[in-house]
Amino acid sequence: MNVVVFSGGVGGARFVQGVARALAPEAVTVVGNVGDDLEVLGLHVSPDLDSIMYALAGVNDEERGWGRAGETWRVLESVAELGGETWFRLGDLDLGVHLVRTQALRAGTPLSAATAGLCAALGVEPCLLPATDDAVRTWIATAEGELSFQEWFVARGHRDEVDGVRFAGAGSAAPAPGVLDAIATADLLLLAPSNPYVSIAPILAVRAIRDALTARAVPCVAVSPLIAGRAVKGPADRMLARLAGGTRPAHVAACYEGLIDALVVDEADASDLDGLGEVRPIIARTLMVDLDARRRLAEAALGAVPA
Ligand code: GDP
Ligand code: CA
């Protein structure tokens, strides 16, 4: 069985780890968000792709929740001493990745090929593709004006309420090589429990990817990032309350109207399933505390297709 998982960063990466344990690695293609990409200290950083890559390579820091295990911060200390920008925290090991990626991009290598090279070097077996090799960047409308994604999320700690999101460059962006083929040959499509507005929506903003999902011949299953109406981490619940009018399973499903056939919801939300319409609920424990929990959640979603 071949699957394609659409994923943001940390939340998505945990789920992707589970999928990669539930299936043979060669059966798994991950399409990652690039709307959060940015340039820091002259380097191209792809935070969501890296979270997925580190998780699949088993080098992610479980305690901190992002970045690499065993990380050190000597370079950042030096940057601080020199009065350079330190608001976006890049560790020494992480910086190695950004150096290699940035050099490849400057030499004309597309992001997808640069990502493949990094994944191969780190021993990542599933195929990790950026949604697009083109620049798609997420902008956040707030009362303080329109902020770049990372200014809103990291620099300002996502405290500003969100009035809207915009994906600059999406209108002319093409799917990265391999994305449409993977969707066309998949037996199941999965939307990870990532933030629907700023992790999954920028992927779906690439028109040809959305069209491929709309025209799918196989089931598409989303996993809710909310448990008892609350985000496990981050602003997804506040965004849903404000932009979708609530944080019930039906509000999550509404983010994916016409794109999903089933929604995996937590046991804590099992009594709150009104308004799902054609979307079939799959009840599971969705808190991904460890690798076992991640695999079990993946299996619940994979169960949407008969083995
Ligand atoms: P980011 O790009 O690093 O912000 O990560 P994602 O968008 O992929 O994931 C963020 C979302 O993951 C948040 O909305 C969380 O609620 C969700 N999340 C994190 N851990 C869990 C978990 O254990 N279970 C579920 N259901 N959602 C989770
Ligand atoms: Ca992200």
Side-chain angles (χ1 to χ4, degrees), residues 7-14 33 36 47-48 51 65-66 149 153 192-196 198-200 223-227 230-237 264 266 285-289 294 297:
S7 175
V10 174
R14 290 184 182 143
N33 171 40
D36 304 6
D48 285 6
S51 293
W66 56 272
F149 177 80
F153 196 86
S194 293
N195 187 309
V198 291
S199 290
I200 303 296
V223 181
S224 174
L226 304 188
I227 298 180
R230 304 282 303 268
V232 176
K233 199 167 177 238
D237 47 3
V264 180
D266 194 84
R285 281 199 185 172
T286 70
L287 190 62
M288 300 180 286
V289 281
R294 293 166 200 184
L297 179 57

Side-chain angles (χ1 to χ4, degrees), residues 140 152 160-162 164-165 195 197-198 235-247:
I140 307 291
W152 168 70
D160 308 89
E161 295 298 336
V162 177
V165 288
N195 187 309
Y197 292 102
V198 291
D237 47 3
R238 281 163 55 218
M239 296 181 82
L240 271 147
R242 192 169 169 93
L243 299 172
T247 61

Side-chain angles (χ1 to χ4, degrees), residues 32-44:
N33 171 40
V34 295
D36 304 6
D37 285 22
L38 74 163
E39 193 156 295
V40 190
L41 296 165
L43 302 177
H44 181 105

Side-chain angles (χ1 to χ4, degrees), residues 37 41 48 58 60 69 100 116 123 146 171 202-203 210 218-219 221 223 243 268 273 277 290 293-294:
D37 285 22
L41 296 165
D48 285 6
N60 59 306
V100 172
E146 197 179 39
I203 301 174
R210 173 177 281 272
V218 298
V221 179
V223 181
L243 299 172
L273 302 175
D290 55 20
R294 293 166 200 184

Side-chain angles (χ1 to χ4, degrees), residues 38-304:
L38 74 163
E39 193 156 295
V40 190
L41 296 165
L43 302 177
H44 181 105
V45 182
S46 295
D48 285 6
L49 295 179
D50 290 346
S51 293
I52 298 164
M53 182 171 75
Y54 293 157
L56 288 174
V59 300
N60 59 306
D61 190 311
E62 281 288 334
E63 268 167 44
R64 196 178 337 109
W66 56 272
R68 289 185 64 157
E71 188 61 280
T72 53
W73 306 90
R74 299 295 307 277
V75 174
L76 209 67
E77 282 162 28
S78 168
V79 170
E81 195 172 53
L82 297 166
E85 59 172 334
T86 55
W87 63 276
F88 197 89
R89 300 193 52 78
L90 299 175
D92 302 332
L93 297 173
D94 197 26
L95 272 162
V97 166
H98 309 319
L99 287 166
V100 172
R101 174 196 290 121
T102 302
Q103 184 188 34
L105 294 175
R106 296 230 170 108
T109 306
L111 180 62
S112 53
T115 304
L118 295 168
C119 283
L122 287 171
V124 170
E125 289 181 298
C127 177
L128 172 60
L129 301 171
T132 175
D133 281 333
D134 301 321
V136 171
R137 295 292 175 265
T138 300
W139 289 83
I140 307 291
T142 76
E144 299 301 312
E146 197 179 39
L147 306 173
S148 73
F149 177 80
Q150 299 294 0
E151 185 184 0
W152 168 70
F153 196 86
V154 174
R156 298 173 64 86
H158 52 72
R159 64 175 183 267
D160 308 89
E161 295 298 336
V162 177
D163 295 322
V165 288
R166 181 171 70 89
F167 307 112
S172 57
V179 171
L180 294 183
D181 279 349
I183 296 172
T185 56
D187 301 297
L188 177 67
L189 305 168
L190 296 168
L191 305 187
S194 293
N195 187 309
Y197 292 102
V198 291
S199 290
I200 303 296
I203 301 174
L204 302 175
V206 178
R207 186 81 226 177
I209 297 181
R210 173 177 281 272
D211 288 348
L213 249 67
T214 305
R216 71 194 176 281
V218 298
C220 181
V221 179
V223 181
S224 174
L226 304 188
I227 298 180
R230 304 282 303 268
V232 176
K233 199 167 177 238
D237 47 3
R238 281 163 55 218
M239 296 181 82
L240 271 147
R242 192 169 169 93
L243 299 172
T247 61
R248 302 177 42 239
H251 297 109
V252 176
C255 293
Y256 301 131
E257 202 183 341
L259 301 174
I260 61 170
D261 305 289
L263 178 69
V264 180
V265 301
D266 194 84
E267 290 174 350
D269 300 290
S271 59
D272 196 17
L273 302 175
D274 291 350
L276 281 178
E278 302 284 286
V279 175
R280 182 165 66 85
I282 298 172
I283 312 297
R285 281 199 185 172
T286 70
L287 190 62
M288 300 180 286
V289 281
D290 55 20
L291 284 172
D292 269 352
R294 293 166 200 184
R295 185 180 40 80
R296 280 197 302 272
L297 179 57
E299 283 166 353
L302 294 169

